[in-house]
Amino acid sequence: MSATTPARVNHRAVLAIAVPIVISNISTPLLGIADTAVMGRMGDPKYIGAVAIGALIFTMVYWTFGFLRMGTTGLTAQALGAMDGEEIRAALGRALLIAGAVGLALIALQWPIRLAAFALIDGGEEVERLARSYFDIRIWSAPFALANYALVGWFIGLGRANVALVLQVFLNLVNIFFNIALALGLGWGVAGIAAGTLIAEVAAAIAGLVIAARHLRFYPGQWTRARLMDARRLAKTIAINRDIMIRTIVLMFSFAWFTAKSAEAGTVTLAVNSILLQFVTVSAFFLDGFALAAEALVGKAFGAGQREDFDRSAWLSTGWAAGIACVLSLGIFVFGGFVIDFLSIDPEVRATARNHLFWAALLPVLSVWCYQLDGIFIGATRGAEMRNAALASSALFLVLWWLFLPYGNHGLWAALTGFNLMRAASLGFYYPRLRRELA
């Protein structure tokens, strides 16, 4: 079957996208573990702290521009469904242009970004000095790091999640190799970790472009400046990316508020919530794969104008996600206490975390709906609805946090749970209208 031949939406199609993404998500934390192990051999905890702070800054900055992955997935999937080879090319081209422009802007604005970042983070004089050296090196990889977002989104939009997995694993392996070689082998320390990451991000971007060029042979069409810079399509791309960016910033604010209020409640509460959020993060690794399957398959159905395929894509991907969410929730209920004991030896932290464990166990089955609806609306390139849902959900989160203040940390977790339920309810409000567009 050629790359442009439409395929029936079935369980295999869902798993072909979801499974590689899940594997990719699971492999990503290995990089952080490797960096920590390398810095741990330097003999001073300041090196670990410096890399952690530097990496956190770039995680927050790049997450802000996550629209390059999400928006590109939806637009590419729709072009694939419409059998429009030129638009498949243009979707990638526009995303890479935006990635390059934003990346160069980040380099040009590195001084104020660095100033603002370290004004918000207090890691001690020596740790901050090392973290600044990490920042000064890694910032030069910004265009390539953002290009990787665009490339991964493009491959997922084509239903080639296996290629996205290969690129992620390649990036991680190159990163680990050069981190060890430069940080330990040449004795560069924190600067070696930053340089190794820069090299890996550049190498992954180049590899992604080469693989993309090979894949484009399967899609009829040519590169044309007129299509690439088409005012209407370019405006749509910018509008979608703008709305997704606003949505991402709003979600980041909500989780930052949760962390800030955890810290205000004291060291024990902060430790407890940090441990419980690990369950939430690991659950998201698994559920994210099915949300991405929804993005690609729903986008393709939208591009083809096929409501039956839209319905099957939404229901099959959500059915798998819901089943996995139930397994995850059950696993947290049963084994969560053992994990808590492994992550902390403090008796008070252990006891308090066990008392709040049910919140972490409930979240997978209560949050899977907002994850899936996010994927569906990204595939349909409905950024405005996602933006509105995020704004409404964050507003409710703040209201619930204030109302539940008397209940302490249980109230904070109740507000977070309400936040995710509101994300699902608000997008669910738009869902019938979205479906009617394919009538």
Side-chain angles (χ1 to χ4, degrees):
M1 183 176 65
S2 71
T4 56
T5 301
R8 176 179 170 79
V9 178
N10 53 29
H11 293 287
R12 179 177 294 181
V14 172
L15 294 176
I17 298 172
V19 172
I21 296 300
V22 170
I23 296 172
S24 175
N25 288 343
I26 294 173
S27 72
T28 300
L30 296 177
L31 178 60
I33 294 172
D35 286 352
T36 301
V38 170
M39 289 295 93
R41 293 182 174 273
M42 300 294 292
D44 193 316
K46 67 184 181 183
Y47 297 107
I48 296 177
V51 170
I53 289 174
L56 175 64
I57 292 171
F58 283 98
T59 297
M60 298 301 288
V61 170
Y62 290 158
W63 196 20
T64 302
F65 300 101
F67 61 77
L68 282 167
R69 203 282 302 156
M70 291 180 276
T72 305
T73 296
L75 292 168
T76 303
Q78 290 187 19
L80 178 66
M83 300 294 184
D84 190 342
E86 289 191 357
E87 186 57 25
I88 289 174
R89 286 168 166 75
L92 175 61
R94 293 188 201 105
L96 290 174
L97 286 175
I98 295 172
V102 172
L104 292 175
L106 291 175
I107 292 174
L109 296 172
Q110 61 181 284
W111 182 81
I113 293 173
R114 182 180 60 188
L115 187 66
F118 286 100
L120 296 172
I121 299 175
D122 182 15
E125 182 177 347
E126 187 62 18
V127 170
E128 285 193 18
R129 182 185 66 79
L130 292 169
R132 287 175 189 273
S133 71
Y134 178 99
F135 178 93
D136 291 343
I137 294 171
R138 190 176 170 188
I139 189 65
W140 293 94
S141 72
F144 301 96
L146 296 179
N148 286 325
Y149 280 21
L151 285 161
V152 167
W154 189 73
F155 283 117
I156 293 173
L158 292 178
R160 301 301 177 98
N162 58 324
V163 178
L165 169 62
V166 169
L167 287 176
Q168 185 62 54
V169 172
F170 173 73
L171 186 151
N172 290 343
L173 291 177
V174 172
N175 202 345
I176 291 172
F177 172 81
F178 279 101
N179 285 356
I180 294 173
L182 299 178
L184 291 181
L186 297 182
W188 290 9
V190 171
I193 296 290
T197 303
L198 185 154
I199 292 170
E201 288 173 332
V202 172
I206 293 173
L209 290 171
V210 171
I211 297 173
R214 294 176 62 86
H215 274 72
L216 281 173
R217 295 181 303 173
F218 297 106
Y219 303 98
Q222 297 179 343
W223 290 99
T224 62
R225 184 179 182 278
R227 175 61 76 93
L228 186 65
M229 303 305 293
D230 178 86
R232 181 180 62 84
R233 297 176 188 271
L234 191 59
K236 179 182 178 181
T237 300
I238 293 173
I240 292 167
N241 290 336
R242 176 201 65 210
D243 291 333
I244 293 177
M245 181 178 180
I246 294 171
R247 168 255 187 195
T248 301
I249 292 173
V250 170
L251 296 186
M252 287 171 60
F253 164 80
S254 299
F255 283 102
W257 186 274
F258 180 90
T259 302
K261 296 308 170 184
S262 298
E264 288 180 10
T267 304
V268 171
T269 298
L270 178 60
V272 166
N273 288 354
S274 296
I275 290 172
L276 296 180
L277 283 174
Q278 296 304 311
F279 293 108
V280 178
T281 300
V282 171
S283 297
F285 285 162
F286 289 90
L287 299 179
D288 190 46
F290 297 96
L292 286 169
E295 290 181 28
L297 296 173
V298 164
K300 187 176 180 181
F302 245 79
Q306 293 288 337
R307 193 165 82 171
E308 181 181 354
D309 284 351
F310 171 84
D311 288 339
R312 287 184 61 82
S313 299
W315 284 106
L316 287 179
S317 60
T318 301
W320 273 100
I324 296 297
C326 290
V327 173
L328 290 168
S329 288
L330 180 61
I332 295 171
F333 268 120
V334 174
F335 300 107
F338 299 104
V339 177
I340 290 170
D341 291 345
F342 175 77
L343 294 176
S344 176
I345 61 173
D346 184 275
E348 186 178 3
V349 170
R350 284 180 169 181
T352 307
R354 286 174 178 270
N355 189 37
H356 290 77
L357 180 63
F358 71 93
W359 289 112
L362 285 174
L363 273 175
V365 293
L366 296 181
S367 301
V368 64
W369 316 108
C370 70
Y371 295 161
Q372 284 301 113
L373 283 164
D374 269 351
I376 290 168
F377 277 79
I378 288 171
T381 60
R382 294 302 187 270
E385 287 86 343
M386 296 178 66
R387 176 201 64 206
N388 295 342
L391 289 169
S393 301
S394 290
L396 179 66
F397 171 68
L398 293 176
V399 171
L400 291 176
W401 163 76
W402 181 76
L403 289 174
F404 294 154
L405 274 175
Y407 301 97
N409 198 38
H410 283 293
L412 185 59
W413 277 96
L416 182 65
T417 303
F419 168 70
N420 279 348
L421 289 174
M422 182 60 179
R423 287 172 61 192
S426 51
L427 286 175
F429 172 79
Y430 291 115
Y431 185 82
R433 187 175 71 185
L434 180 69
R435 189 171 176 271
R436 283 196 299 269
E437 292 184 25
L438 286 172

